Amino acid sequence: MERVKKITYQVKKSLVVVDSDNFLWRQNVDRERWLLYRSCSENDRKLDQISPVELANAAVDIVTRKGGMTADALGRMILARFGRSRMSKLTKTHLAQGFEQAKAFGRITEVDGDVKLAAGPLDAGLATV
């Protein structure tokens, strides 16, 4: 518990902020304009260690490249992008957070289970790292 207190103290003193999903971001980063995501294998990061912002960015990247699709198909493609194939209850919940993030940022829309890019300009340059 002492280690947690020390880390929490250091986070508060550093130039980072903790978002509502408990992920750290540099203070000068605008999550709504952050367009990158880090694809990985299943062994690199647990799914809950991937920010919903990264999941949202992966969703936008996939829909940009492939066109509109069902939410289920998009979810499976996002999982594959992060080295996974199994759709568990926890996975569905975390993917839903990513979808909601992308919708809240105005990047995608979902109507009757179909996902497509939102109308209007998007910043170019979505990319994996």
Side-chain angles (χ1 to χ4, degrees), residues 35 37 52-69 71 74-75 77-79 81-82 95 98-103 107-108 115-117 122 126:
L35 302 176
Y37 65 95
V53 173
E54 284 189 83
L55 296 174
N57 290 346
V60 173
D61 184 37
I62 291 166
V63 173
T64 299
R65 294 169 193 263
K66 304 277 186 185
M69 63 189 68
L74 178 57
M77 292 181 88
I78 293 169
L79 283 181
R81 196 62 58 97
F82 291 99
L95 282 175
F99 284 160
E100 290 307 314
Q101 195 74 74
K103 287 189 249 180
R107 295 184 182 156
I108 62 170
V115 179
K116 62 181 182 177
L117 288 177
L122 288 175
L126 280 172

Side-chain angles (χ1 to χ4, degrees), residues 2 4 10 25 41 49 64 68 70 73 78 83 89 108 115 123:
E2 184 64 31
V4 171
Q10 290 300 323
W25 294 87
S41 72
Q49 293 174 339
T64 299
T70 66
I78 293 169
K89 186 175 180 178
I108 62 170
V115 179
D123 291 331

Side-chain angles (χ1 to χ4, degrees), residues 37-47 50 54 78-84 128-129:
Y37 65 95
R38 296 177 295 149
S39 60
C40 61
S41 72
E42 186 173 4
N43 297 326
D44 292 339
R45 294 188 284 171
K46 294 179 182 177
L47 191 63
I50 300 170
E54 284 189 83
I78 293 169
L79 283 181
R81 196 62 58 97
F82 291 99
R84 290 161 177 80
T128 60
V129 176

